[in-house]
Amino acid sequence: MVDIYERLSGFCPAPPPYREIISVLTAVTEETQKTDGECVVSAPWVTVVKYENNILMDFMSAASAMQSWNFFESIMLLQRGGEMLALWEEIVQAREARKLSFASSLLRGVSGSAEPHLYLWFQRLKASLISKFSLFFYQTLAQQTTPTEMKSLCARLSLDQAARLSAFQKRADAQSISVLFDATGLASYNGRPGYHHLEKEQPQMSGLDLFPVVFSTPNQPSHHFPNLVMILTDQNTDLATDKTVHFYDGGVGSTYFLHLIEPRFYVVIIFDGRRDRPAAQVQQDIRCPEARLQVEICWPGY
């Protein structure tokens, strides 16, 4: 497990290869299952490792599902991982766990009085994933409540990504800020995220339908979509190398800034008039690790 955390921290701030991590966690699960009932003394250790492994697998699987814009799978995995985390906390708090001197020091910290470091890390990871989920599926969630309630719910998150982007749009005096999803070549994509009847035939997507808007503030720049899709297609190579692409279109009198924030997800900032190069504040906000909307999976220091 230590090797897994070292690999995760090594990818910061870029997102790790979730599927590779899931494969390793699957192998760990198979190994722990072989030890069931072998030794009474090691049973508490094995139990904790199982909880730790299952929680991390659910959260990594949820992150992977978000990259495919899969609403149902993402929310189910987040829910199951959260429930498993709550059960694991009960194990940590149990008297049997506190009796283990060395194991207790690992689970609860050297002093024995603080919350377990690993548990706190999982809580931060869960909070980051929920914040990310709230942005990637903002429009789907917004359809299930009122705008006021949606803002109130997002404000309770550890990082309100929607509010942060809205504040940046006003501060930078941008025409709009949007997050687009590129579903090109994604076989599982069948339209807007949400619940779909399994027996209902889904239409084939093509053209602009393969680049849906994930989030946009203060409104959706629909008349810019053809230009944006063309830029995304033509500048795909540069965008994939962590470059910020900017382009001025004299026909509509607007400047576009595009940046890849997650595989298949792009942030698009549109300004009125010509902007020959990104202003310092715009460039900083686009490239700032916090603003990149990525889950920063870094092992917390002791």
Side-chain angles (χ1 to χ4, degrees):
M1 294 299 291
V2 173
D3 291 338
I4 295 176
Y5 295 121
E6 288 180 348
R7 290 188 64 190
L8 289 174
S9 63
F11 283 98
C12 290
Y18 297 119
R19 296 189 181 279
E20 292 183 17
I21 300 298
I22 293 171
S23 298
V24 176
L25 292 171
T26 301
V28 173
T29 299
E30 295 173 354
E31 289 298 321
T32 55
Q33 289 176 346
K34 297 177 182 179
T35 62
D36 286 345
E38 288 187 357
C39 180
V40 177
V41 176
S42 63
W45 289 85
V46 175
T47 300
V48 171
V49 170
K50 286 182 178 179
Y51 274 101
E52 175 187 353
N53 188 73
N54 291 337
I55 292 167
L56 187 56
M57 182 178 293
D58 281 344
F59 285 162
M60 292 294 98
S61 298
S64 178
M66 288 186 211
Q67 286 188 340
S68 298
W69 216 31
N70 189 320
F71 176 82
F72 182 73
E73 186 175 347
S74 299
I75 196 172
M76 294 301 292
L77 288 166
L78 283 175
Q79 177 68 24
R80 190 173 68 180
E83 293 174 351
M84 190 73 68
L85 186 59
L87 291 174
W88 186 45
E89 181 184 17
E90 295 178 5
I91 296 295
V92 173
Q93 299 291 344
R95 179 175 300 178
E96 290 77 12
R98 292 200 299 270
K99 287 181 180 178
L100 297 173
S101 57
F102 181 60
S104 180
S105 67
L106 289 176
L107 294 173
R108 303 190 59 80
V110 177
S111 65
S113 59
E115 289 293 332
H117 293 294
L118 185 57
Y119 174 78
L120 292 175
W121 183 81
F122 274 127
Q123 287 285 16
R124 288 198 292 270
L125 175 59
K126 175 187 173 184
S128 296
L129 287 171
I130 292 176
S131 294
K132 183 177 180 180
F133 178 88
S134 71
L135 178 71
F136 281 10
F137 301 102
Y138 188 91
Q139 296 188 38
T140 302
L141 296 171
Q143 294 175 359
Q144 304 177 34
T145 184
T146 63
T148 301
E149 182 68 14
M150 184 65 184
K151 290 182 179 179
S152 175
L153 292 172
C154 290
R156 302 175 190 174
L157 300 175
S158 61
L159 180 59
D160 187 349
Q161 295 284 13
R164 189 191 62 76
L165 288 178
S166 296
F168 172 56
Q169 177 267 324
K170 296 175 182 177
R171 184 172 68 253
D173 193 26
Q175 181 186 132
S176 67
I177 296 181
S178 305
V179 178
L180 301 184
F181 176 68
D182 180 4
T184 305
L186 187 62
S188 61
Y189 180 70
N190 54 10
R192 302 299 306 182
Y195 304 105
H196 300 274
H197 197 288
L198 296 177
E199 297 180 359
K200 184 178 180 181
E201 184 177 354
Q202 300 298 329
Q204 293 293 325
M205 301 293 168
S206 62
L208 295 179
D209 293 334
L210 292 174
F211 296 87
V213 177
V214 173
F215 174 83
S216 189
T217 182
N219 48 51
Q220 289 195 19
S222 302
H223 59 291
H224 290 287
F225 286 170
N227 289 347
L228 293 174
V229 171
M230 185 178 299
I231 297 173
L232 287 174
T233 303
D234 294 342
Q235 304 293 331
N236 182 266
T237 301
D238 287 340
L239 288 167
T241 57
D242 200 35
K243 290 183 179 179
T244 299
V245 172
H246 68 283
F247 177 80
Y248 173 69
D249 188 335
V252 295
S254 298
T255 302
Y256 307 107
F257 293 97
L258 301 92
H259 195 89
L260 181 69
I261 56 175
E262 182 96 354
R264 294 185 176 274
F265 289 88
Y266 300 87
V267 62
V268 178
I269 306 176
I270 303 177
F271 289 94
D272 289 324
R274 179 186 290 275
R275 297 283 182 106
D276 291 332
R277 63 175 59 188
Q281 187 61 47
V282 175
Q283 187 77 351
Q284 179 181 356
D285 276 25
I286 292 178
R287 292 187 176 276
C288 171
E290 177 183 348
R292 287 167 58 96
L293 319 178
Q294 296 172 344
V295 180
E296 294 183 14
I297 306 179
C298 301
W299 182 255
Y302 278 69

